[in-house]
Amino acid sequence: MKILFVTSEVHPLIKTGGLADVSGALPAALQTLGEDVRLLVPGYTQVLDKLENKRTVAAFSVFPGQPEVKLLSAKMPDTEVPVYVLDAPQYFCRVAGPYQYELGGDWPDNAMRFGMLSKVAAMLGSAASPLAWRADILHCNDWQSGLAPAYLHLGGGVHAKSVMTIHNMAFQGNFDRDWLGPLDLPQSCFDMHGVEFHGYLSFLKAGLHYADRIVTVSPTYAQEIQTTEMGYGMQGLLTVRNGDVSGILNGIDDKEWDPATDRYLTAHFDSSDLAPKAAGKRALQQRLGLEEQARAPLLGVVSRLTYQKGLDMLLECLPKLLDGGAQLALLGSGEDDLERRFGQLALRYPGRVSVTVKFDEGLSHQIMAGADIFLMPSRFEPCGLNQMYGMRYGTPPVVRRTGGLADSVDDASLPDGTGFVFDEPTPAALYRTVAAAIDCYRDLPKFQRIQLNGMRRDVGWRVSAQRYIDLYRKIE
Ligand code: ADP
Ligand code: GLC
């Protein structure tokens, strides 16, 4: 089967969150299982800089009146998965992030940028392909490739089948209908049974309407998005298409995230010997200017700082936890208000709270390894990867029972418990659960059992990648 995996970010080329991790690891797992899978990514400056041995394999026009674009071919670093790069410098070679400029606003031409990505994906799955290689399956991810199934359908003829994976319903790619013309979409598809969503052209809605199958990144989230509270207005469509919707839990890249070999750690460890984890904690405390107390419970957070992640609830209950002897190492960036409030907390608790506001891959691994307990009190979480990294690194997570957190973490009260789970999205419930996790940490044999349960759990991609293959085969 020839599979084109279309994505707007991929580790280690460009990353804002978990989508990049999935895009790095799932295609590699599919390849290991014998599939001919290739990536299609936008040619951001960071991507062009990091990929070696690029060859131009096609030059062609995508939309009327637009300059020609090029398609470059290369191999992903480490995994050797083939990658096609959409080289359109006018759209993708910009300073700052893939979706936003430096001050945090969306690029005003995002509709054109990702409409183009979607259109090129559809071309690679149809007779219009500029390559000899033609995909049987387009695997689209989030709104940025949501128009691809629409283009496949509207183009007619024999074409690839499509799978739309929703990584986060909160991001929909809704744009003014004036974009229909520039994106070469007929007015007739601007309909409830098409790309229209509350008067806007919606990339995600288009994907959900036209794709052959819809997947979300955990079974629980697949149910949640069919409810009014969590469907973001698309629950009706999802309920109608219920038979085509499934949840496949993300895995993690267990080579990249392996405490026994992690390139960012100096003290390596595994489930047969946890002792070096203490050295990792000391190194982290040193690096972050935290008091070097071996038995002070060190709480770790690595996260986008947004409403989704529930960290405002943590701000409310942290003083009590810190006054009780805990420390906090937080790495994250996002909403101004949260950045500011965590910054203030760090000033108030020197030596006990460290707040790093930036994106730092190495530090994220070091926090995962050096912290004692990882915090992820998300209000909603389609899957979440950090809780699985925490489990793998002997850093049991505190999570709210939602989405993929509910599907991947078992509460410490269960025989195979791997973390600490709470239900109510309130500071009080979060406080109680972190306090219980800290009590458990002070009871070494009990805590070690939870650590080892997590470290021994298979959270790799093999099983879930096979589920995707089974799904592709059903529709091929
Ligand atoms: P989401 O995709 O919603 O942000 P996930 O848990 O699925 O949440 O994935 C987040 C990914 O982004 C993880 O690999 C995490 O380590 C990483 N990450 C988030 N914020 C930062 C940061 N400030 N620096 C480094 N890595 C980060
Ligand atoms: C999204 C979700 C996160 C998920 C990730 C990868 O960013 O917020 O829960 O783990 O995508 O699927």
Side-chain angles (χ1 to χ4, degrees), residues 15 17-18 21 302 304 309 331-332 358-360 384-386 389:
K15 167 166 167 179
D21 292 12
V302 179
R304 290 184 292 116
K309 302 292 176 179
L331 168 65
K358 64 173 174 182
F359 199 92
D360 186 332
L385 298 170
N386 276 320
Y389 300 149

Side-chain angles (χ1 to χ4, degrees), residues 39-57:
L39 282 150
L40 174 66
V41 297
Y44 311 111
T45 310
Q46 298 92 323
V47 169
L48 296 175
D49 287 350
K50 285 196 188 151
L51 277 180
E52 289 173 359
N53 301 323
K54 300 179 284 293
R55 283 185 306 119
T56 301
V57 287

